[in-house]
Amino acid sequence: EAQVTQNPRYLITVTGKKLTVTCSQNMNHEYMSWYRQDPGLGLRQIYYSMNVEVTDKGDVPEGYKVSRKEKRNFPLILESPSPNQTSLYFCASSLGSGSNQPQHFGDGTRLSIL
Amino acid sequence: TQLLEQSPQFLSIQEGENLTVYCNSSSVFSSLQWYRQEPGEGPVLLVTVVTGGEVKKLKRLTFQFGDARKDSSLHITAAQPGDTGLYLCAGVETSGTYKYIFGTGTRLKVLA
């Protein structure tokens, strides 16, 4: 089954403790991206990757890192999480970066930073 | 950064009523997508509109792309409780990046 898998689905942690949210897709998609969703602000893109070893900043990259060493995986790293990074996070992938390419989303990771 | 503004932000209607959701920008987009998101899940693509003036229908949902490709609308005829969800428009910036921009969303509740 074609899917985007995120782990963990839920995480409660404390300020400053490094964490990684994994994302994997099995559709051989080139474009992958991370979003955060906050009430009243919609989905905002954090980082995106157009292919292996190619990543770029979205609209809200501060406090986050990503890597794309393999085509299928695109982990999101919070080196020193802070409470303002408490949010619902989504990973998505699409065949390419074209504006008519549908994005396929994971089921989300709800992150709480105390 | 290009912006997409959606209105209304919230909508609560009775089953059988019609409604329209708007997605507006001051910038041109080469295409716009509409997604629906249900609680506990990621957004799912409904449609992509590509050509200015284009109209696409998906059962009781009608999507239109503005002639100038700066706006889009979603019209639902005879809404049903199953239409309840968060509706999002989205597009890729045309400024040379490949950033994806999402609208702020319209939360629709259809009461039986």
Side-chain angles (χ1 to χ4, degrees):
Chain A
E1 180 191 350
Q3 59 187 7
V4 177
T5 304
Q6 295 179 227
N7 279 297
R9 291 292 311 277
Y10 303 92
L11 180 61
I12 301 174
T13 187
V14 296
T15 299
K17 186 176 180 183
K18 181 180 177 180
L19 68 93
T20 299
V21 185
T22 63
C23 173
S24 181
Q25 51 93 5
N26 62 0
M27 296 169 279
N28 202 34
H29 283 172
E30 290 189 347
Y31 188 93
M32 295 187 74
S33 119
W34 276 103
Y35 298 88
R36 61 178 290 173
Q37 187 171 33
D38 302 289
L41 297 176
L43 278 159
R44 292 179 294 167
Q45 194 173 42
I46 303 170
Y47 269 95
Y48 63 94
S49 169
M50 294 179 59
N51 214 324
V52 175
E53 301 293 1
V54 181
T55 63
D56 215 337
K57 295 178 181 178
D59 279 334
V60 288
E62 295 78 21
Y64 304 95
K65 281 175 59 176
V66 292
S67 69
R68 188 95 182 269
K69 295 189 172 70
E70 309 162 279
K71 200 170 189 178
R72 63 182 293 127
N73 296 322
F74 190 46
L76 179 70
I77 303 155
L78 284 72
E79 294 266 4
S80 183
S82 63
N84 64 9
Q85 292 177 298
T86 291
S87 187
L88 178 58
Y89 291 85
F90 287 99
C91 179
S93 72
S94 59
L95 193 59
S97 56
S99 58
N100 60 350
Q101 296 288 339
Q103 288 198 86
H104 300 261
F105 284 83
D107 284 334
T109 295
R110 189 166 290 281
L111 193 55
S112 294
I113 315 289
L114 305 177
Chain B
T1 300
Q2 293 173 241
L3 295 176
L4 285 168
E5 294 186 5
Q6 285 185 241
S7 62
Q9 193 174 356
F10 299 98
L11 196 51
S12 181
I13 61 171
Q14 292 294 130
E15 183 176 3
E17 291 184 11
N18 301 333
L19 67 114
T20 302
V21 175
Y22 300 93
C23 174
N24 295 300
S25 177
S26 58
S27 307
V28 173
F29 283 84
S30 54
S31 67
L32 282 177
Q33 299 175 338
W34 283 92
Y35 291 80
R36 181 166 70 203
Q37 184 181 14
E38 301 191 24
E41 299 179 7
V44 175
L45 181 74
L46 295 173
V47 80
T48 301
V49 285
V50 179
T51 308
E54 182 177 9
V55 176
K56 279 192 174 177
K57 293 195 174 185
L58 190 65
K59 297 182 182 175
R60 293 175 294 98
L61 279 60
T62 301
F63 303 84
Q64 185 160 8
F65 200 11
D67 290 339
R69 292 184 289 129
K70 290 183 178 182
D71 56 88
S72 181
S73 64
L74 157 60
H75 182 80
I76 302 180
T77 303
Q80 298 178 2
D83 296 326
T84 293
L86 178 66
Y87 289 82
L88 298 157
C89 63
V92 176
E93 273 200 342
T94 53
S95 58
T97 71
Y98 292 93
K99 286 186 196 177
Y100 241 96
I101 308 296
F102 273 82
T104 46
T106 295
R107 191 166 294 282
L108 171 64
K109 187 168 186 177
V110 181
L111 305 167

